[in-house]
Amino acid sequence: MKFTINRAVFTAKLNDVLRAISSKTTIPILTGLKIAVSDQDVTLTGSDADITIETVLPSSEESTNLTIEQAGAIVLPARFFSEIVKKLPDKLVTIEVSDGFQAQITSGSAAFTINGQDANNYPHLPEIETKDGVSLAGDVLKEIIGQTVLAVSTQESRPILTGIHLVLADNQLFAVATDSHRLAQRKITLPQAVQERYDVIIPGKSLTELSRMITDSQATVELRIAENQVLFVLGNTMFYSRLLEGNYPETSRLIPETEDTTIELNAAGFLAAIERASLLSHESRNNVVKLSVTAADNTAKITGNSPDVGNVEEAITTTSLSGADLEISFNPDYMKDALRSFGQSEIRLSFTSALRPFTLVPTQDAENFIQLITPVRTY
Amino acid sequence: MKFTINRAVFTAKLNDVLRAISSKTTIPILTGLKIAVSDQDVTLTGSDADITIETVLPSSEESTNLTIEQAGAIVLPARFFSEIVKKLPDKLVTIEVSDGFQAQITSGSAAFTINGQDANNYPHLPEIETKDGVSLAGDVLKEIIGQTVLAVSTQESRPILTGIHLVLADNQLFAVATDSHRLAQRKITLPQAVQERYDVIIPGKSLTELSRMITDSQATVELRIAENQVLFVLGNTMFYSRLLEGNYPETSRLIPETEDTTIELNAAGFLAAIERASLLSHESRNNVVKLSVTAADNTAKITGNSPDVGNVEEAITTTSLSGADLEISFNPDYMKDALRSFGQSEIRLSFTSALRPFTLVPTQDAENFIQLITPVRTY
């Protein structure tokens, strides 16, 4: 095996593959990076058994400056290898395995020899039938992930809730996540109807990593779903994730159908106020902030209190306020996550009572995006 | 006590004072920030008993927008208070203590009440006679600290070595630090001779914090030395540090007077090569890099080796090489620290033998700045 490649291009691709590689793995060879060289291209593979990322650097792409002298394959210690490549002096790097499982890495006047492992011992990739992919705009997919993954559970007690429930049917994509204290739900209309109905649960962690790989240059991402795997194709890079097994709870009945108190406000302004109030609630044992709405004088305020440290009160600027008076307490960290998902938008908060979940939706698009938060009982 | 002040200006000064405040202190009131308000100004004080920082915000300075309604003093929980001030909504903030030790902090529509403590219980500042200060250019002082503090010991076994030895005599300032494995020494000529000779040891930690406070806008820093304290005056801010007691070891005899092998090279280029080699040495138990100089063919190279991981070899570009052949091993982390202190300069490395300390000096100014490193015996 021997090839020479543009170091900056190689480093960028290495960084992508490294996302899948964990130093805490029970399968030692997975701390390694697999490099496979054919006559036409170099393929890098990293995996933590849940996520597998494979990327191809073709010699036909001019920017790679790739010259292949001999095909072959090796597994090299991933973190260490990438640290070396990043710090090398020259524009190009040459990687050669002449004999056994030792790789020579040369660039300018620097020459490293590092011990690798037999690529034949590296696990095989999941196989996914390539027919029937769904094409999504990169920025839309990234937005959907960002808006829902915040509500994914981080607790392993109910593994199914650590995923995002994704349903593709006709020309609709539906994504929902809940940790049972809050819920985030997003719908979009697909440019084209899908052939088949898909109903899968993708680990939140996988989607977070995927989302970091979707850059502005990634116009479209193709989604392919198999029995127990999902594959996202980003140009020359394949991102595989296992699916969670089991039935996702029915979430539609959680969203209240009536509302007794409604306020409309700017998400960013309200977020700043909640951030201030949470400084204080974080000092308190129960970490709650209270929202009080008084219809008669058209005011809303938030209050927080920590017996040891002090208290806070802030009048909230609303653009609209209607319905019954209300006092409701909630975890400000859930509120912050939800508000951040709306960016600078105007949003509507709808409440039924102090002990029932309430919703946040964009005023302009109430149908397709909902954040729901369960209040905290404080008495 | 009641005053209103420009929040951005107040926050900047708070940040300065916070440098002195540690949450890990054995004196609980020192986790607090003291705010003292007179008719003309607001004084903020923070301290961890080793370092004390005091800064004055005068109402006469227009940028402060300071309006004082009532004098007084309070001690407020420092981190928490500063977090609040940073997140407040308005350009101005009002702080009021009307009664007892509770402070009202208001800004725009946000109102915090936080519990404080009696300012009378806050320790008194060290007193330093103000005569006979030494004026130093801010950038020069910052440079001296940066170039010597790297060699300060972090081990408490010999407390005296955790400081920088500073001697001021006639028109010379002399600074040296050593952790007994390496040494950094810097001399400068003062614009004016000092009246008295000073010989003090200032904790490295204090000087690191001081250095962070010296910004480009800080043209001069005044240095005043007393029995067991040193005071640095930066405009309206006073930085006090305790001095270390004891006799600093005689260091001048450590610097070799002869040289058998000399190489000259660019510090930044050599640093990059050492950084690469240290990737490998860090994987090894003994963390050494070897430099080999061969006079006959005018070459120098560095090598590193880790039995488990691999090895590295790199030819070093020198601008001059003379003297006897040499093989010498050293801790690459010491070398990196030393090389960084020279920036982009051309430097000279002078060796006597494989087991004797070697020196690094700027080729252009060999007299006033020396880094010394003790090699590692590898056989």
Side-chain angles (χ1 to χ4, degrees):
Chain A
M1 181 186 117
K2 185 173 181 185
F3 67 96
T4 299
I5 197 165
N6 180 297
R7 198 166 59 84
V9 172
F10 191 60
T11 303
K13 291 296 182 179
L14 266 180
N15 285 342
D16 278 346
V17 173
L18 278 177
R19 294 183 187 285
I21 303 177
S22 164
S23 50
K24 289 173 258 165
T25 168
T26 49
I27 310 167
I29 201 166
L30 291 186
T31 61
L33 163 88
K34 183 177 159 192
I35 305 179
V37 182
S38 76
D39 292 342
Q40 293 86 38
D41 53 37
V42 172
T43 303
L44 307 177
T45 310
S47 178
D48 69 356
D50 283 350
I51 300 172
T52 300
I53 301 174
E54 186 179 272
T55 191
V56 179
L57 290 142
S59 56
S60 58
E61 244 175 51
E62 212 172 310
S63 66
T64 61
N65 301 127
L66 177 58
T67 329
I68 296 169
E69 287 184 48
Q70 199 189 357
I74 185 100
V75 174
L76 296 175
R79 303 277 155 200
F80 183 55
F81 175 68
S82 79
E83 282 303 313
I84 289 174
V85 173
K86 271 174 214 160
K87 285 207 152 71
L88 288 172
D90 200 44
K91 192 196 156 202
L92 297 175
V93 53
T94 300
I95 297 163
E96 179 176 8
V97 179
S98 46
D99 170 42
F101 305 115
Q102 276 203 327
Q104 275 80 46
I105 307 160
T106 47
S107 178
S109 55
F112 282 83
T113 303
I114 68 173
N115 302 328
Q117 292 178 74
D118 187 349
N120 290 318
N121 298 333
Y122 196 85
H124 288 288
L125 277 192
E127 276 179 42
I128 292 193
E129 295 279 316
T130 54
K131 65 169 170 100
D132 204 24
V134 181
S135 210
L136 295 168
D139 54 352
V140 171
L141 177 59
K142 196 168 173 149
E143 187 184 78
I144 295 168
I145 296 171
Q147 288 170 335
T148 52
V149 79
L150 58 105
V152 158
S153 171
T154 53
Q155 312 255 306
E156 285 298 326
S157 55
R158 285 184 71 189
I160 203 89
L161 297 186
T162 63
I164 292 180
H165 184 203
L166 201 71
V167 181
L168 288 153
D170 304 326
N171 64 346
Q172 281 269 319
L173 181 152
F174 172 90
V176 68
T178 179
D179 61 6
S180 77
H181 303 291
R182 53 180 161 170
L183 174 148
Q185 175 185 301
R186 184 81 165 90
K187 285 183 217 165
I188 63 160
T189 304
L190 297 171
Q192 286 190 301
V194 289
Q195 303 284 315
E196 223 176 303
R197 179 189 154 89
Y198 292 105
D199 186 326
V200 294
I201 307 154
I202 306 174
K205 262 194 223 165
S206 302
L207 291 173
T208 301
E209 282 304 335
L210 173 69
S211 166
R212 291 183 184 138
M213 282 175 64
I214 303 174
T215 56
D216 292 344
S217 63
Q218 205 59 57
T220 59
V221 176
E222 200 189 318
L223 172 67
R224 297 180 199 165
I225 296 171
E227 187 74 28
N228 55 4
Q229 288 280 336
V230 58
L231 165 61
F232 297 90
V233 183
L234 302 90
N236 284 331
T237 302
M238 314 277 189
F239 183 104
Y240 296 85
S241 169
R242 75 179 172 95
L243 296 174
L244 294 172
E245 281 171 44
N247 293 314
Y248 202 81
E250 179 52 55
T251 53
S252 61
R253 60 175 177 77
L254 298 175
I255 298 165
E257 283 169 358
T258 59
E259 57 187 37
D260 294 324
T261 307
T262 307
I263 55 177
E264 290 185 2
L265 43 68
N266 178 269
F270 192 43
L271 173 60
I274 296 289
E275 281 178 338
R276 284 188 281 279
S278 71
L279 286 177
L280 212 131
S281 69
H282 285 168
E283 302 293 317
S284 158
R285 203 170 40 82
N286 56 2
N287 188 28
V288 295
V289 165
K290 187 166 75 180
L291 172 73
S292 309
V293 179
T294 314
D297 53 8
N298 200 38
T299 58
K301 67 172 183 187
I302 55 171
T303 49
N305 176 38
S306 160
D308 295 341
V309 181
N311 59 66
V312 57
E313 181 173 317
E314 180 161 351
I316 300 302
T317 309
T318 59
T319 48
S320 153
L321 185 158
S322 64
D325 286 0
L326 175 82
E327 286 206 344
I328 191 164
S329 296
F330 50 83
N331 180 325
D333 299 327
Y334 293 170
M335 184 61 95
K336 283 193 278 185
D337 287 343
L339 290 169
R340 282 191 193 112
S341 73
F342 294 107
Q344 302 287 327
S345 307
E346 293 296 312
I347 60 166
R348 183 164 77 233
L349 285 81
S350 305
F351 306 87
T352 45
S353 78
L355 297 178
R356 296 269 302 145
F358 59 93
T359 59
L360 300 83
V361 298
T363 311
Q364 296 300 326
D365 184 16
E367 268 309 293
N368 292 316
F369 183 26
I370 300 179
Q371 296 280 3
L372 173 143
I373 297 174
T374 303
V376 177
R377 180 196 283 264
T378 53
Y379 49 89
Chain B
M1 181 187 117
K2 185 173 180 185
F3 67 96
T4 299
I5 195 163
N6 180 297
R7 197 166 61 84
V9 172
F10 190 59
T11 302
K13 292 294 184 183
L14 265 180
N15 284 342
D16 277 346
V17 173
L18 277 177
R19 294 184 188 284
I21 303 176
S22 164
S23 50
K24 289 172 261 166
T25 168
T26 50
I27 309 166
I29 201 166
L30 291 185
T31 61
L33 163 87
K34 183 178 160 191
I35 305 178
V37 182
S38 76
D39 292 343
Q40 293 86 39
D41 53 38
V42 172
T43 303
L44 307 178
T45 309
S47 178
D48 68 355
D50 284 349
I51 300 172
T52 300
I53 301 174
E54 186 180 274
T55 191
V56 179
L57 291 142
S59 55
S60 58
E61 244 175 51
E62 213 173 307
S63 65
T64 62
N65 300 127
L66 177 59
T67 330
I68 295 168
E69 286 184 47
Q70 198 189 359
I74 185 98
V75 175
L76 295 176
R79 304 277 155 196
F80 184 54
F81 175 68
S82 79
E83 281 303 311
I84 290 174
V85 173
K86 271 171 213 164
K87 286 208 150 70
L88 287 171
D90 201 44
K91 192 196 157 201
L92 297 175
V93 53
T94 300
I95 296 163
E96 179 176 9
V97 179
S98 46
D99 169 41
F101 305 115
Q102 275 203 327
Q104 275 79 47
I105 306 159
T106 48
S107 177
S109 55
F112 281 83
T113 304
I114 67 172
N115 302 329
Q117 293 178 74
D118 188 348
N120 291 318
N121 298 335
Y122 197 84
H124 288 289
L125 275 193
E127 277 180 40
I128 292 195
E129 296 279 319
T130 55
K131 65 168 170 97
D132 202 23
V134 180
S135 211
L136 294 169
D139 54 353
V140 171
L141 178 58
K142 197 168 172 148
E143 187 184 76
I144 295 168
I145 295 171
Q147 288 170 335
T148 52
V149 79
L150 58 107
V152 159
S153 171
T154 53
Q155 312 256 303
E156 285 299 328
S157 55
R158 285 184 71 189
I160 203 91
L161 297 186
T162 63
I164 291 180
H165 184 203
L166 202 71
V167 181
L168 288 152
D170 304 325
N171 64 346
Q172 280 271 318
L173 180 151
F174 172 90
V176 68
T178 178
D179 62 6
S180 78
H181 302 292
R182 53 182 162 171
L183 174 148
Q185 174 185 301
R186 183 81 163 91
K187 287 182 214 167
I188 64 160
T189 303
L190 298 170
Q192 285 190 303
V194 290
Q195 303 284 314
E196 223 175 304
R197 179 189 154 89
Y198 292 105
D199 186 325
V200 294
I201 306 154
I202 306 174
K205 261 194 224 166
S206 303
L207 291 174
T208 301
E209 283 305 335
L210 173 69
S211 167
R212 290 182 185 139
M213 283 175 64
I214 304 174
T215 57
D216 292 344
S217 63
Q218 204 60 55
T220 60
V221 175
E222 201 189 316
L223 171 66
R224 297 180 197 164
I225 295 171
E227 187 74 28
N228 56 3
Q229 288 281 336
V230 57
L231 165 61
F232 297 90
V233 184
L234 302 90
N236 284 331
T237 302
M238 314 277 190
F239 183 104
Y240 297 84
S241 169
R242 75 179 172 94
L243 296 174
L244 294 173
E245 282 172 44
N247 292 314
Y248 202 81
E250 180 53 56
T251 52
S252 59
R253 61 176 176 76
L254 298 175
I255 298 165
E257 285 171 355
T258 58
E259 57 189 36
D260 293 323
T261 307
T262 308
I263 56 177
E264 292 185 2
L265 42 68
N266 177 269
F270 192 41
L271 173 59
I274 296 289
E275 280 177 337
R276 283 188 281 277
S278 71
L279 287 176
L280 213 131
S281 68
H282 284 167
E283 301 293 316
S284 158
R285 202 171 41 81
N286 56 1
N287 189 27
V288 295
V289 165
K290 186 166 75 179
L291 172 73
S292 309
V293 179
T294 314
D297 54 6
N298 200 39
T299 59
K301 68 172 182 185
I302 55 172
T303 49
N305 177 38
S306 159
D308 294 342
V309 181
N311 60 67
V312 57
E313 179 173 318
E314 182 161 349
I316 300 301
T317 309
T318 58
T319 49
S320 152
L321 185 157
S322 63
D325 286 0
L326 176 80
E327 286 206 343
I328 192 165
S329 296
F330 50 83
N331 180 326
D333 300 327
Y334 293 171
M335 183 61 94
K336 284 192 276 185
D337 287 344
L339 290 171
R340 282 192 192 110
S341 73
F342 294 107
Q344 302 288 327
S345 307
E346 293 296 311
I347 60 167
R348 184 164 75 233
L349 285 82
S350 306
F351 306 87
T352 45
S353 77
L355 297 178
R356 296 269 302 145
F358 59 94
T359 59
L360 300 83
V361 299
T363 311
Q364 296 299 325
D365 184 17
E367 267 311 292
N368 292 316
F369 182 26
I370 300 178
Q371 296 280 2
L372 174 143
I373 297 174
T374 302
V376 177
R377 180 197 285 263
T378 52
Y379 51 90

